[in-house]
Amino acid sequence: MTTKLPALLAVIACAVGAASAPASAAPAAAGATMPGAALYHAFCAQCHDKAIYKAPARSFLNLMAPDAIYGALAGGLMRQQAAALTDKQKRWIADYLGDASLARAAQAAPPPTCVTRGGSPAARSQPGVYSWGVDLGNSHSIPGDVARLPLGEIGRLKLKWAFAYPGAQRARSQPTIAMGTLFVGSQNGTVYALDAASGCVRWTFRASAEVRTPIVLSRTDLPELRARAPLVFFGDIIGRAYALDSKSGKLLWMTRVDEHPSATITAAPAYYKGQVYIPVSSLEEAATIAGYECCTFRGSVVALDAFTGAQLWKRYTIDQTPAPVGVTSAGTRVFAPSGAAVWSSPTIDRKRRVLYIGTGDNYSQPADDRSDAVLALDLHTGAIRWIHQMVAADAWNVGCILDNGECPTKPGPDFDIGAGTTLVKGRGGRDLLVAGLKSGDVIALDVDHPAKPVWSIRLGRGGIQGGVQFGLAHDRNNVYVPISDMAQTHERGTVTEPPHPGLYAVDALTGKLRWSAPAHDRCVGRADCDPGIAASISVIPGAVFAGHMDGRVRAYDALSGRVLWTYDTTRSVKTVSGEIAHGGSIGGGGPVVVGGMVYVNSGYNLYWHMPGNLLLAFSVDGK
Ligand code: HEC
């Protein structure tokens, strides 16, 4: 088990695309003799090791910063459970459980605070990018008047400022930039509002646990929102959704969106007309150590009132509660149907009053028709309008890698739809919904006649880390497809074709390949380095911006695929706090272009990717 643990942790990623694991497996192994260990077992394990509903699984506690755990015990949600403990004992438990790399946060130089709170009025009135997908249809297409970066000047982009997340080893939350402010989450649970021009801190908010989701802002689409600052929405890895005031960072509400102990939120919420839609995923797929009764989680989307956090509806991807269906060869009970997690951001179709989501695999056998599927839900009730399953019989869990008897007897390929689907307005009112799968397939459905795909194309060999992993883009003309095709995903002999990492453009209406830009291997043997693109991408008029797993961010000519600009984010740079820091692999969220500047997060210590903790901001000539 010990030798296999890193592999297990690494795999969690792809599986849930989202949920994560500690940087190393050390806490559990080395920590057994720590003074907090016995206390944990005496005071906490009965809930956190036992899949008690609502209690986050221990694997989540291992992802938290020790000071956040201490805070929960000393004066937060767990103060009653910890009432019998001394202050020292609470600290011991926090040190034993938490991610030690985050403890270093306390020693890092603090980032500078802005002298003026609000920034310049000119910057405040500039248009921005308010959500992960840029628009309701998740096009990832940034209009020219928002990007304000002429094609001819892209080659002159230089680093303007860099921001190191204190104590972090990954930077995965795609930044959102509006009103001259950049909003971003981080590994120790701190959400930052930074001055977009200089990187100084306007405010911070501390969530309970890591914030991997992009930050999403409300629009002025209701009268009551015209007079006030936009609301800020995000989720944390222990399944809580939050709303803050964008001006002050003050908490407006916090809601736990699912009772399952493994529930997590890793994809961007979607906002529309006073409602916020939260995609719910889980880490249960990776909880499948020998003897685990797999599996009881089902994915869902939860609609919340944007002003109060009250639940309006919750739609499970799977209708029935998972029930016992048999036993494994070792006699452990199996529950089904399970899984079909939602770790992609919902797409909103205003015209049809529908919300589209992509789902992941089933965790246990028998599989059902809800895994690796696109679901169209009624915006106002959550009722399912239609389902289109793209890969059938995909029941898989991490037990398949561990070979521990938890794996379904006929395992599927783990070909989730983890990238948010994207809505393409076609001719004559015929709208296409384009989905990218971890299989490397890209499939377009006519949303009014979804039974048969309009087009499909296979661009990658696929695998448990994609294929398409986190997000596509389109500019109505082309759909741009990033392919990861990681070389070594430690699968058991299921991947035999050569990889095709890189960026591809296909005709949005026909799916015909327009150009390919294969990513060349510049890793020269560097550990955990891969040439492909897993993170989501963005398009501005004339150019596509993509962050690669080798740490390079590139701009591609949208017409030809020619590389216009490259920057290696793994090199060390001086940050706004005066520290030297570096990025790593780019994963999860991708580059965003606003007001003539390009912003990208770099560093992804999970699942055989290069660690790093940098937010980089580029401008023409660095001015
Ligand atoms: C009786 C069951 C129970 C016991 C015992 C218990 N917990 Fe919890 N714990 C929970 C539940 C339930 C939640 C989620 C509460 C919520 O989200 O409203 C939780 C949440 C947490 C959180 C997240 C808190 C936050 O602010 O987000 C931490 C950290 C935590 N527990 C640590 C511990 C530690 C350490 C101990 C032992 C000292 C402990 N818990 C004992 C049930 C328990």
Side-chain angles (χ1 to χ4, degrees):
M1 180 65 205
T2 37
T3 52
K4 280 177 175 170
L5 194 54
L8 161 68
L9 297 173
V11 159
I12 292 168
C14 19
V16 282
S20 94
S24 76
T33 55
M34 290 170 74
L39 290 165
Y40 173 80
H41 288 288
F43 288 91
C44 324
Q46 70 265 37
C47 293
H48 290 285
D49 281 9
K50 288 281 156 61
I52 300 292
Y53 264 72
K54 281 195 168 166
R58 180 171 165 182
S59 50
F60 281 127
L61 303 183
N62 295 150
L63 291 172
M64 292 178 71
D67 67 321
I69 298 174
Y70 170 76
L73 302 181
L77 278 171
M78 289 293 104
R79 60 190 181 278
Q80 267 175 325
Q81 287 82 346
L85 299 166
T86 65
D87 188 67
K88 196 178 227 166
Q89 288 174 322
K90 289 173 194 162
R91 288 180 197 279
W92 280 342
I93 294 179
D95 286 341
Y96 163 68
L97 278 178
D99 184 340
S101 73
L102 297 177
R104 291 199 298 270
Q107 282 117 53
T113 308
C114 301
V115 187
T116 55
R117 233 193 136 86
S120 77
R124 280 206 305 272
S125 60
Q126 273 168 22
V129 165
Y130 280 67
S131 66
W132 174 79
V134 182
D135 45 39
L136 293 173
N138 282 340
S139 72
H140 279 270
S141 176
I142 303 170
D145 63 337
V146 178
R148 293 199 291 132
L149 181 62
L151 196 57
E153 296 189 354
I154 289 173
R156 286 165 46 204
L157 286 168
K158 297 247 153 50
L159 186 66
K160 181 166 183 200
W161 55 264
F163 180 95
Y165 299 96
Q169 299 198 339
R170 54 179 175 266
R172 235 200 68 165
S173 159
Q174 180 173 297
T176 302
I177 300 101
M179 303 164 294
T181 303
L182 180 149
F183 302 88
V184 68
S186 72
Q187 192 184 351
N188 76 355
T190 306
V191 172
Y192 294 90
L194 307 177
D195 180 82
S198 71
C200 64
V201 178
R202 289 209 213 288
W203 54 253
T204 61
F205 170 84
R206 185 74 187 266
S208 297
E210 178 174 4
V211 175
R212 274 191 203 178
T213 72
I215 311 293
V216 171
L217 304 183
S218 65
R219 309 299 305 243
T220 48
D221 55 5
L222 288 178
E224 52 268 52
L225 284 163
R226 294 209 182 107
R228 64 184 293 173
L231 313 178
V232 171
F233 308 105
F234 56 92
D236 71 15
I237 50 148
I238 58 175
R240 307 240 178 90
Y242 299 77
L244 313 179
D245 178 288
S246 61
K247 235 177 173 168
S248 64
K250 219 176 85 237
L251 180 69
L252 300 175
W253 52 258
M254 178 181 85
T255 301
R256 189 176 169 105
V257 295
D258 196 275
E259 297 195 326
H260 197 280
S262 294
T264 187
I265 307 170
T266 59
Y271 168 84
Y272 180 60
K273 290 221 163 152
Q275 302 198 11
V276 50
Y277 303 92
I278 312 284
V280 186
S281 180
S282 91
L283 225 156
E284 191 184 33
E285 186 174 33
T288 48
I289 53 171
Y292 184 82
E293 294 192 330
C294 173
C295 279
T296 51
F297 173 83
R298 356 172 222 162
S300 64
V301 176
V302 180
L304 304 175
D305 179 296
F307 298 99
T308 65
Q311 183 177 309
L312 303 168
W313 54 258
K314 178 177 175 93
R315 169 58 52 191
Y316 286 105
T317 54
I318 296 171
D319 301 328
Q320 65 271 47
T321 312
V325 289
V327 291
T328 66
S329 55
T332 307
R333 285 196 302 173
V334 175
F335 288 70
S338 66
V342 187
W343 55 275
S344 61
S345 186
T347 308
I348 291 173
D349 183 341
R350 206 163 26 180
K351 191 158 97 192
R352 295 173 182 80
R353 299 176 179 279
V354 163
L355 175 123
Y356 306 106
I357 49 167
T359 65
D361 60 352
N362 288 117
Y363 298 167
S364 53
Q365 225 170 334
D368 70 357
D369 64 346
R370 304 299 166 87
S371 55
D372 305 345
V374 171
L375 272 58
L377 309 180
D378 184 285
L379 258 186
H380 299 291
T381 64
I384 296 179
R385 292 259 192 99
W386 53 259
I387 299 168
H388 182 108
Q389 185 172 47
M390 296 192 166
V391 180
D394 189 4
W396 186 92
N397 64 51
V398 168
C400 302
I401 290 194
L402 299 179
D403 205 11
N404 64 5
E406 295 278 326
C407 185
T409 47
K410 282 193 204 129
D414 183 23
F415 282 163
D416 307 346
I417 303 175
T421 55
T422 183
L423 193 60
V424 182
K425 301 260 160 217
R427 287 187 208 106
R430 189 200 205 200
D431 297 338
L432 303 183
L433 188 74
V434 181
L437 282 73
K438 292 205 303 196
S439 62
D441 292 288
V442 183
I443 299 172
L445 304 177
D446 178 337
V447 294
D448 294 321
H449 307 281
K452 214 174 127 255
V454 176
W455 58 258
S456 75
I457 184 167
R458 184 149 186 255
L459 295 167
R461 72 168 176 191
I464 60 174
Q465 304 222 37
V468 182
Q469 184 79 332
F470 287 110
L472 319 144
H474 80 81
D475 58 10
R476 295 188 77 165
N477 182 29
N478 291 331
V479 174
Y480 303 96
V481 184
I483 293 289
S484 148
D485 273 11
M486 242 178 108
Q488 175 53 287
T489 53
H490 303 258
E491 285 146 306
R492 291 173 169 264
T494 48
V495 172
T496 47
E497 287 172 53
H500 303 288
L503 186 68
Y504 298 82
V506 301
D507 183 293
L509 300 182
T510 66
K512 273 213 193 74
L513 185 66
R514 285 257 171 89
W515 52 256
S516 353
H520 300 292
D521 191 350
R522 309 244 185 271
C523 291
V524 284
R526 193 168 184 176
D528 299 329
C529 180
D530 254 89
I533 312 167
S536 56
I537 58 172
S538 297
V539 57
I540 68 169
V544 183
F545 284 81
H548 292 241
M549 292 183 289
D550 65 4
R552 286 177 175 80
V553 54
R554 292 191 174 92
Y556 293 87
D557 186 299
L559 286 179
S560 67
R562 190 170 63 87
V563 175
L564 304 170
W565 173 75
T566 305
Y567 180 93
D568 180 1
T569 65
T570 66
R571 73 169 79 140
S572 292
V573 294
K574 193 164 178 187
T575 68
V576 290
S577 54
E579 261 188 295
I580 304 296
H582 64 84
S585 299
I586 298 171
V592 181
V593 188
V594 173
M597 292 184 66
V598 178
Y599 302 92
V600 67
N601 261 330
S602 176
Y604 195 35
N605 62 325
L606 305 166
Y607 333 124
W608 303 286
H609 293 108
M610 298 183 289
N613 63 337
L614 213 53
L615 167 65
L616 302 110
F618 302 91
S619 62
V620 174
D621 299 328
K623 288 200 186 107

